[in-house]
Amino acid sequence: MFFVGILGVGQKEKLIKEFRDCVCRHCTTSSISLIKTYSYFHIFFITLHSWGEKYYGYCPNCNILYEVYKEKGKAIEEGKIDTLTYWDLIDIEKHKLGDNLCSSCGGVLESKYTYCPYCGKHIE
């Protein structure tokens, strides 16, 4: 998060909904979490503007992350649709995320990071 006095810019992850009837493409477990990520601008920690919304499906069993179309994710978030199916999950990475997650807080890390941007733990 970038912070100057009372102004700031940051990124957030928000759990939208957990689906117990959506099957993972890799491990066939029936558990997918819909997650929304976005950037935001705030004053005194009050969000004034957000942008870059993306929706992801995450399987906690095999640590695979899928992309979900923005229209589908937004409709689920607004309560217009209440289902997520196998066909809505788009592979974005062919490898597991286990090596790209912080062992302390579970935040998604880029390979260039030396410290976790979420909790500050040194990455080994």
Side-chain angles (χ1 to χ4, degrees):
M1 177 187 331
F2 175 69
F3 185 75
V4 177
I6 60 173
L7 305 175
V9 176
Q11 293 183 331
K12 281 191 180 179
E13 292 180 3
K14 178 181 174 185
L15 175 64
I16 303 298
K17 188 173 181 180
E18 292 186 16
F19 294 91
R20 299 287 177 213
D21 56 349
C22 184
V23 178
C24 175
R25 291 176 172 247
H26 293 274
C27 70
T28 64
T29 299
S30 295
S31 178
I32 298 289
S33 300
L34 181 65
I35 300 168
K36 173 184 174 180
T37 63
Y38 60 96
S39 298
Y40 65 98
F41 173 74
H42 66 85
I43 295 178
F44 284 118
F45 303 103
I46 298 171
T47 301
L48 297 178
H49 179 67
S50 62
W51 68 92
E53 293 179 343
K54 292 185 180 182
Y55 293 87
Y56 298 97
Y58 172 71
C59 175
N61 187 51
C62 65
N63 290 330
I64 295 291
L65 191 65
Y66 300 98
E67 188 171 0
V68 175
Y69 288 114
K70 184 176 180 178
E71 296 80 18
K72 179 80 172 193
K74 195 162 196 71
I76 292 170
E77 183 178 22
E78 293 172 351
K80 296 177 182 176
I81 300 174
D82 61 355
T83 59
L84 186 69
T85 67
Y86 174 93
W87 304 107
D88 296 321
L89 304 175
I90 304 162
D91 282 325
I92 57 173
E93 297 182 14
K94 293 296 182 186
H95 64 279
K96 292 187 177 185
L97 289 175
D99 295 338
N100 297 344
L101 296 177
C102 175
S103 60
S104 178
C105 70
V108 178
L109 305 173
E110 292 182 22
S111 59
K112 64 183 178 183
Y113 291 159
T114 306
Y115 292 90
C116 176
Y118 305 103
C119 70
K121 181 177 181 197
H122 184 266
I123 308 301
E124 298 173 7

